[in-house]
Amino acid sequence: MYKILIILLLTLQSCVAQNNNKTDKKLVDTEEFSKGIESSSIQLLDVRTPGEYSQGHIPDAVNYDWLGNDFKEQIKNLDKSQPVYVYCQSGRRSAQAADKLISEGFEVYELKGGMLNWRSKNLPESTESEVQTTGMSMEDYNDLLKGDQMVLVDFYADWCAPCKRMEPFLKSISEDMSKDVKVVRIDVEAHKKLANDLKISAIPILKLYKDESMIWEQNGFIGESELRASISKFATSK
């Protein structure tokens, strides 16, 4: 009986050791990620769509679309003896891709906040043509804020699920509360330089302005009733 217990304990210790040796993903900030990819012995993976990749990506990144049908086959081309640095646009897809890579035995470093965070720090970026569209200038943006009305600016992107959920009631607010507030929606993909200048590192973000000064800000999703209440509060304080 004693020998059986010893064997069971040794087996349990072996299992614990194996579990402890299991690779965990490391969620790192832009500074650590930037330093890490300077090494020649890493693999840099962009898991966004080809369209997003072509509009701007971290130099030397390979594009394997997490939402595509070939992702599982594509990662077979990667070397398990070298770490994989992975990113997407804001972090959701890269988190899923990182979990998949880890399950396949890779050591994974994931960029916190994705490409939005990378751009907010004005770090290097490449495009297929090496020419980036700048979109709206800061001067143009400031012009939008002028006037007697309050201005609600919604920073969004087509790939952002919370942004899509907010779009219908933002349009309703634009119509129903037009006397109090002007709603402006700005696509961060089409206006990259502006997003960088304003330090937009995650979306959705709402900014409410009065007399050209920001008086309220919301980071992340907000419900319609709460948003209307916030606008009304500042509208009645005129």
Side-chain angles (χ1 to χ4, degrees), residues 52 55 89 119 133 156-157 159 187-192:
E52 290 172 303
Q55 291 175 4
Q89 195 71 1
R119 286 171 176 159
T133 57
Y156 77 98
W159 48 262
D187 185 343
V188 295
E189 291 295 335
H191 305 282
K192 295 177 184 177

Side-chain angles (χ1 to χ4, degrees), residues 44-156:
L44 180 57
L45 190 58
D46 182 319
V47 297
R48 299 174 300 160
T49 65
E52 290 172 303
Y53 177 84
S54 66
Q55 291 175 4
H57 56 268
I58 297 176
D60 300 322
V62 175
N63 182 213
Y64 291 172
D65 182 5
W66 169 250
L67 300 177
N69 297 324
D70 301 325
F71 185 82
K72 292 180 181 179
E73 288 299 316
Q74 288 175 320
I75 62 174
K76 291 180 180 179
N77 297 320
L78 300 175
D79 185 350
K80 291 184 180 179
S81 68
Q82 297 181 347
V84 178
Y85 282 69
V86 61
Y87 70 93
C88 65
Q89 195 71 1
S90 62
R92 182 178 61 84
R93 285 171 288 178
S94 61
Q96 295 171 336
D99 288 341
K100 175 60 180 175
L101 288 164
I102 289 169
S103 72
E104 296 293 330
F106 291 94
E107 179 185 1
V108 181
Y109 293 81
E110 181 192 352
L111 174 60
K112 185 178 181 180
M115 199 66 190
L116 279 176
N117 195 21
W118 183 267
R119 286 171 176 159
S120 74
K121 302 296 190 299
N122 293 314
L123 291 165
E125 182 175 353
S126 298
T127 65
E128 290 182 352
S129 63
E130 294 300 327
V131 177
Q132 295 186 40
T133 57
T134 57
M136 185 185 300
S137 68
M138 185 61 76
E139 184 179 358
D140 295 332
Y141 181 74
N142 289 331
D143 285 341
L144 289 173
L145 309 179
K146 295 177 180 178
D148 297 330
Q149 276 184 311
M150 293 190 300
V151 180
L152 179 66
V153 184
D154 167 38
F155 290 93
Y156 77 98

